[in-house]
Amino acid sequence: MRLRLITVCMIACVAGSAGISQAQNVAIGSATNAIGTLVIIRTDGVQQRLQGKGNVPLYEGDIIQTDGTSQALIEFKEGIQVALNESTSLKLLSRWEKDKPTTRILRLKQGEVWAKTSGGPKLFEVETPVATASVKETEFNLKVQEDGQSILTVIEGVVQFGTPFGTCPIKTETISYGVRGKKCTKPAPTDVKAAKSWTETVRAAGK
């Protein structure tokens, strides 16, 4: 009986390991362009770099970084395009819920990202040290300052911008600030062209 139990446990462990391995081996997107150098750190610590155009696969758990002279462009399979500005570091994550599409998540530690969805509504979030931006079909820019303050500019659509103290719907051509210990600020009109002007070079080079 004891031998049978051990055998069942071994089979279960092997099957579980295979499932995790397969999940980690499925690319969730790719890095398509870098001005300067984009550094990709895999979950096993191995680093890969992209300079110029390319098609480097990205996986769950990857950390991607730009330095003070670099910008980059990545794309998720679901039709979400993300540009990274200089000195940006983020981690790629996903959330699975029963009977729902996968939610792609960027855990933005520092820096600035621009994101745009295409091909219909998506489940997509950007987490910062103090706030979370949840979107379905939109274009926006999100910047994290050194103190963690997060600045959201919605270029088109609606973004649910939340902190532990509440969530604010931020609409087209408005800006909101997420500050530690407070609810995000009320949306205010802003110049969205300025918010995405830094993306023009890296997006054009990626075409």
Side-chain angles (χ1 to χ4, degrees):
M1 182 66 182
R2 183 179 179 185
L3 178 60
R4 182 181 178 186
L5 179 61
I6 293 173
T7 303
V8 171
C9 289
M10 289 179 64
I11 293 173
C13 290
V14 170
S17 299
I20 293 171
S21 177
Q22 288 172 2
Q24 291 174 336
N25 288 333
V26 177
I28 61 174
S30 60
T32 59
N33 186 42
I35 297 174
T37 302
L38 175 68
V39 178
I40 303 161
I41 305 173
R42 307 298 187 186
T43 54
D44 59 4
V46 173
Q47 294 189 12
Q48 192 167 359
R49 298 172 188 272
L50 173 65
Q51 295 176 321
K53 285 187 177 181
N55 186 24
V56 180
L58 299 173
Y59 300 95
E60 178 80 14
D62 283 351
I63 295 172
I64 56 178
Q65 298 176 337
T66 56
D67 61 21
T69 59
S70 301
Q71 295 177 330
L73 193 67
I74 68 173
E75 295 182 5
F76 288 96
K77 287 186 171 180
E78 290 81 3
I80 305 167
Q81 193 175 46
V82 178
L84 285 74
N85 206 353
E86 300 165 349
S87 302
T88 294
S89 177
L90 58 84
K91 187 172 187 178
L92 304 179
L93 299 170
S94 301
R95 182 170 63 246
W96 293 270
E97 296 178 83
K98 187 178 180 181
D99 299 329
K100 288 186 177 180
T102 301
T103 302
R104 299 301 179 195
I105 302 169
L106 302 183
R107 183 164 291 168
L108 180 61
K109 183 179 180 182
Q110 64 180 45
E112 183 174 19
V113 296
W114 162 92
K116 183 177 182 179
T117 65
S118 60
K122 314 295 179 188
L123 295 180
F124 179 55
E125 297 178 3
V126 181
E127 299 177 356
T128 77
V130 302
T132 299
S134 302
V135 308
K136 289 186 177 179
E137 193 169 10
T138 187
E139 179 181 0
F140 67 97
N141 192 82
L142 185 55
K143 183 176 183 179
V144 175
Q145 297 186 329
E146 291 185 359
D147 61 358
Q149 177 176 261
S150 305
I151 305 169
L152 171 69
T153 302
V154 177
I155 299 163
E156 185 174 3
V158 179
V159 175
Q160 298 296 329
F161 195 37
T163 74
F165 297 87
T167 298
C168 313
I170 311 301
K171 300 181 179 179
T172 301
E173 297 187 349
T174 60
I175 190 171
S176 177
Y177 297 82
V179 181
R180 196 180 303 278
K182 297 182 179 179
K183 188 179 179 180
C184 52
T185 63
K186 292 183 179 179
T190 189
D191 179 4
V192 296
K193 291 183 179 178
K196 69 173 185 179
S197 61
W198 64 269
T199 71
E200 293 176 357
T201 303
V202 69
R203 291 169 61 198
K207 293 180 180 178

